[in-house]
Amino acid sequence: ASSRQLLIPLFQNEEEDEDESDNDEDSGTDHFNSEKSGTRLQRCERHGAANSSLPDTFQTSHLLFYERFKAYQDYMLGDCKPSEVKAFTADYLEKVVEPCDWLALWSTNVFDVLVEVCDVDLKDLKACVRLVLPLQCDTKGCELTEEAMKSLLEATEHKVPLQELQVVYEQSGDFDHTALALEHLRFFYKHIWRQWDEEDEDDDFDYFVRCVEPRLRLYYDILEDRVPAGLVAEYQSLLENCFQCFQQFSVLRSGLSTDSDSELDNVSMVEGLKLYDQLETFKRKLHIIENPLLRYVLGYRGNARQQCVQSRGLRASGMKVVHVVTASCSAIQLQSLLSDRLLPLCSSEDTEIQFHKDPVSAVEKCHQGDMVIVLPGIYSVSSSIFLPDSITVEGFGLPDEVVIEKKNKGDSFVESTGADVRLSNIKFIQHDAIEGILCVRQGTLNMENCVLQCETTGVIVRTSACLTMNMCDLYGSKGAGVEIYPGSVCSLVGNGIHHCKDGVLIKDFADELDVMPLITMENNVIHNNEGYGVILVKPNNGEQHAVPLDISEDVAMKADLYVRKNHTEPTAENNSAGSDAASTSGRKWQFSRQLSKNKETSCSRAVQDLMDHQIFVSIQGNQFRRNGMGDLGTFFY
């Protein structure tokens, strides 16, 4: 049976329940009273334990996203508040878990032992168990006797956490619901619940919508390789830091006396406020990564591996190399290449020619000042192309004739960190991607007459980097076509940016306001994007009408509901104040919509709105057409 069938026993009578909803007393449990016709769950065999005497358990760990989603939303949590999670969970378990007389493996990091469940204590989420004799046990790096296990159970009053129990496999189907319920409980407290959730000051919200759904989506996005490895590492680090901070804060808080004015208590109070401020900062960052929209809008700074490729500099010999990339070529192509490019470039004795079959190997052999000439053909690559030196990479032909495509999942397609890198006449095609198609991490990239067929974010210009993009065609990004960070310099001239989530996204972070981006936009055609033609991401300076953090994934499509009021350009003073406020009370989020009513070619209203922002060095001759949410929008955080 496939994993899609795993929850059939739990939900198979759902339609019948709706028809019988007039029976108020039993309406919440009808779907658990289906007639048993054998198990619908798979057996989980104990591979790697050939000498084990322990029985097999149910396979419940491979549930799909929608199966867990439905179980938590419809049966376990519903619309409960954070403070009600335990009560709702206990009520759910009471309906589905067999109260006694079933076998389970008590699994910990140290041992697996067979026990029989005599009773369940739903209030504490524990089960009262007794050993099955003779002792059936697998240990992990230790020796465990029957007497030692009895002593351990006596110390725990024969009660063990329900999360540590795995139901022994049985074909009757009598224990399917119990096995699934324990899996939902185990998964929830391992991957969804956070110790600080119950202490949220704003307890009056739907816990499922605010926390469970985004965390569940993130879990499956990570599982299915839809989140960059660097962002996953950052999220795990934030979780660990937040947990440690919460532990320190809880210990400090428990030791404070409310009636004491001693100097020690005053010092502890100050330290507690600092920890609370730090905890709120960690929680805000976790919210950003957990929310799909905010994760896309605010992004992250990349991982160490992407930044470790070092420049090779000039060759010790002083020799420069022209790298020719081709699998094969005709005599006419070779003659044209020699006369048009190679002879003029190699007229001096300090230049030589090398041949390569793929562009990655050619770039990896480059030193500063080298040139890579890619002949017509389709080149499939499996790794990122790193450009740490000042080199030129050009296609010998039209972009549609010189195609480089990357099919496997992983990091960005092209990473540029060289001081003066030049790309021209190449079509880049991205498949099954996690990160953007091209990232200018530092240095300068000049790109001309290229085609970029994206999957995730398109071109990213990081802080202190410089991009000149002329006469290029960019499309297909599920994020922004061009993402511009504070402190960068970006010139977009004569490009087509279309059929993306947003056309151009400009980021303006509170902690980087000391350097504004410098942007030139001239004669671009920005059209048919799902969201905005150009969207600015700005810190909330306190004057905007705020939308709470628990915005859903489709909030971008509803941005016109939130209209900016009394907007003023942020100054260094109020941005500093906004940053301080954010660390204690958390950011608020909103969209502001500035739509050009005139959809003609001139788009005079949108152009005027853009010129009001000091980040633009020059903006003229651009055309905005058929962008789903308008020509210019602002997203406040």
Side-chain angles (χ1 to χ4, degrees):
S2 69
S3 57
R4 294 178 180 273
Q5 297 175 305
L6 294 182
L7 286 189
I8 290 177
L10 190 59
F11 306 127
Q12 61 185 355
N13 288 343
E14 183 176 329
E15 294 181 1
E16 289 87 336
D17 292 346
E18 294 176 359
D19 297 335
E20 299 171 6
S21 58
D22 55 335
N23 186 346
D24 293 337
E25 183 179 357
D26 296 327
S27 60
T29 59
D30 283 346
H31 57 281
F32 300 123
N33 296 330
S34 58
E35 182 180 352
K36 302 294 188 304
S37 57
T39 180
R40 294 176 182 266
L41 302 183
Q42 294 174 307
R43 179 194 295 265
C44 180
E45 298 180 357
R46 298 181 59 80
H47 295 292
N51 298 324
S52 174
S53 61
L54 293 177
D56 295 334
T57 56
F58 286 102
Q59 175 61 271
T60 58
S61 61
H62 299 312
L63 300 182
L64 301 180
F65 166 80
Y66 83 92
E67 294 170 325
R68 296 191 193 277
F69 180 97
K70 188 172 182 63
Y72 291 136
Q73 183 184 52
D74 292 352
Y75 299 108
M76 183 168 168
L77 300 173
D79 58 355
C80 72
K81 302 173 184 178
S83 59
E84 299 172 331
V85 166
K86 279 191 175 180
F88 273 61
T89 300
D91 185 61
Y92 160 73
L93 295 175
E94 184 179 8
K95 294 182 174 71
V96 293
V97 173
E98 292 293 331
C100 60
D101 300 330
W102 47 277
L103 297 179
L105 293 188
W106 178 19
S107 297
T108 69
N109 294 329
V110 180
F111 58 79
D112 295 332
V113 62
L114 184 64
V115 296
E116 181 182 1
V117 175
C118 307
D119 193 11
V120 290
D121 181 357
L122 299 177
K123 182 180 179 181
D124 293 329
L125 301 180
K126 290 186 176 182
C128 183
V129 302
R130 63 167 171 254
L131 285 179
V132 174
L133 299 177
L135 180 68
Q136 299 180 49
C137 180
D138 284 348
T139 59
K140 304 165 187 176
C142 69
E143 293 293 333
L144 195 63
T145 64
E146 182 178 318
E147 290 72 19
M149 181 56 67
K150 287 181 178 179
S151 298
L152 178 60
L153 282 175
E154 288 176 1
T156 62
E157 299 180 344
H158 289 263
K159 290 185 177 181
V160 301
L162 283 171
Q163 302 171 49
E164 297 179 1
L165 295 180
Q166 298 182 39
V167 182
V168 169
Y169 181 81
E170 186 177 314
Q171 292 184 340
S172 67
D174 292 341
F175 300 106
D176 284 20
H177 294 164
T178 299
L180 283 169
L182 295 189
E183 168 62 27
H184 292 314
L185 179 71
R186 187 162 40 246
F187 183 91
F188 174 76
Y189 278 102
K190 183 176 181 180
H191 299 291
I192 306 297
W193 178 254
R194 312 281 185 250
Q195 288 182 314
W196 49 86
D197 287 349
E198 198 169 15
E199 299 190 2
D200 198 304
E201 292 180 353
D202 183 18
D203 185 55
D204 191 20
F205 61 81
D206 188 329
Y207 181 69
F208 179 85
V209 173
R210 172 80 171 267
C211 297
V212 178
E213 181 179 357
R215 291 172 186 171
L216 188 61
R217 288 187 184 278
L218 176 62
Y219 174 85
Y220 277 91
D221 283 346
I222 293 173
L223 187 67
E224 296 166 11
D225 293 327
R226 292 196 293 265
V227 181
L231 187 55
V232 174
E234 183 178 335
Y235 181 68
Q236 297 297 338
S237 176
L238 279 171
L239 269 178
E240 180 63 26
N241 291 336
C242 196
F243 174 77
Q244 292 178 0
C245 184
F246 180 77
Q247 293 293 99
Q248 295 173 13
F249 176 74
S250 299
V251 170
L252 187 64
R253 180 179 55 184
S254 63
L256 286 175
S257 173
T258 56
D259 300 328
S260 174
D261 292 329
S262 69
E263 182 177 349
L264 182 61
D265 276 352
N266 289 336
V267 171
S268 297
M269 183 68 73
V270 173
E271 183 64 25
L273 290 174
K274 290 181 180 179
L275 285 172
Y276 178 79
D277 178 67
Q278 189 177 15
L279 182 63
E280 290 299 305
T281 300
F282 286 139
K283 288 164 64 176
R284 179 171 65 87
K285 291 180 178 179
L286 288 171
H287 273 302
I288 290 174
I289 298 177
E290 289 167 354
N291 186 287
L293 176 62
L294 305 185
R295 184 162 71 241
Y296 145 67
V297 171
L298 299 183
Y300 80 113
R301 301 180 184 279
N303 57 63
R305 192 184 72 79
Q306 295 170 321
Q307 304 176 40
C308 68
V309 179
Q310 299 297 320
S311 171
R312 300 176 186 88
L314 293 169
R315 285 184 178 82
S317 63
M319 185 73 68
K320 291 188 178 180
V321 177
V322 177
H323 304 265
V324 178
V325 179
T326 181
S328 63
C329 65
S330 65
I332 296 176
Q333 281 180 322
L334 184 58
Q335 182 181 11
S336 178
L337 177 66
L338 280 168
S339 59
D340 293 349
R341 301 299 292 138
L342 295 183
L343 290 178
L345 290 170
C346 304
S347 57
S348 61
E349 294 183 357
D350 63 347
T351 304
E352 67 177 32
I353 302 171
Q354 294 181 8
F355 289 86
H356 306 266
K357 290 186 176 181
D358 68 272
V360 174
S361 63
V363 170
E364 287 178 346
K365 295 293 176 58
C366 282
H367 285 252
Q368 184 174 323
D370 286 1
M371 172 176 280
V372 178
I373 300 177
V374 187
L375 268 63
I378 300 176
Y379 302 89
S380 295
V381 300
S382 58
S383 60
S384 298
I385 299 175
F386 292 100
L387 305 171
D389 290 283
S390 298
I391 65 172
T392 298
V393 182
E394 67 175 42
F396 188 67
L398 299 174
D400 285 338
E401 298 173 337
V402 184
V403 178
I404 304 176
E405 60 179 354
K406 184 170 184 285
K407 293 185 176 181
N408 69 315
K409 299 178 181 179
D411 300 324
S412 297
F413 194 161
V414 180
E415 291 269 342
S416 178
T417 56
D420 184 13
V421 179
R422 298 179 180 274
L423 288 178
S424 61
N425 305 332
I426 298 176
K427 181 175 184 178
F428 296 93
I429 301 178
Q430 190 180 38
H431 299 284
D432 298 324
I434 299 175
E435 298 195 41
I437 195 168
L438 188 151
C439 179
V440 190
R441 197 164 295 283
Q442 62 186 47
T444 299
L445 174 65
N446 297 281
M447 184 163 52
E448 184 171 339
N449 197 33
C450 289
V451 177
L452 302 164
Q453 181 178 315
C454 312
E455 272 233 342
T456 52
T457 299
V459 176
I460 302 170
V461 192
R462 295 287 183 183
T463 299
S464 300
C466 178
L467 169 69
T468 299
M469 181 173 160
N470 297 337
M471 306 301 295
C472 295
D473 188 32
L474 187 155
Y475 58 92
S477 170
K478 294 185 178 70
V482 180
E483 246 184 48
I484 303 173
Y485 276 69
S488 63
V489 178
C490 185
S491 175
L492 305 174
V493 179
N495 303 290
I497 303 174
H498 56 99
H499 294 91
C500 302
K501 173 70 174 179
D502 292 302
V504 178
L505 187 148
I506 303 166
K507 299 186 177 184
D508 187 4
F509 291 120
D511 58 350
E512 295 175 309
L513 289 173
D514 53 325
V515 180
M516 299 290 287
L518 299 176
I519 302 171
T520 299
M521 288 183 60
E522 297 179 355
N523 303 320
N524 301 286
V525 182
I526 303 176
H527 65 96
N528 290 99
N529 295 293
E530 180 183 346
Y532 292 98
V534 178
I535 183 168
L536 307 179
V537 179
K538 302 173 68 66
N540 189 340
N541 62 14
E543 298 184 4
Q544 287 78 25
H545 175 66
V547 175
L549 182 64
D550 54 332
I551 54 181
S552 61
E553 188 174 3
D554 65 344
V555 70
M557 302 303 296
K558 303 176 182 178
D560 54 314
L561 298 177
Y562 307 111
V563 182
R564 183 174 61 175
K565 297 180 180 179
N566 303 320
H567 173 64
T568 58
E569 287 296 328
T571 64
E573 181 180 355
N574 61 31
N575 281 323
S576 175
S579 178
D580 292 338
S583 63
T584 55
S585 60
R587 288 285 182 187
K588 297 297 182 181
W589 307 79
Q590 79 169 72
F591 271 103
S592 167
R593 195 180 192 196
Q594 294 172 288
L595 278 177
S596 171
K597 301 297 183 182
N598 181 10
K599 292 291 182 178
E600 297 177 0
T601 302
S602 63
C603 286
S604 57
R605 168 67 185 280
V607 171
Q608 183 60 48
D609 286 337
L610 289 172
M611 292 179 66
D612 290 340
H613 295 274
Q614 299 176 3
I615 57 179
F616 291 99
V617 176
S618 172
I619 178 165
Q620 58 184 351
N622 300 286
Q623 299 180 28
F624 296 84
R625 299 173 179 172
R626 297 182 296 279
N627 295 300
M629 297 185 66
D631 304 320
L632 172 66
T634 306
F635 178 84
F636 290 100
Y637 70 95

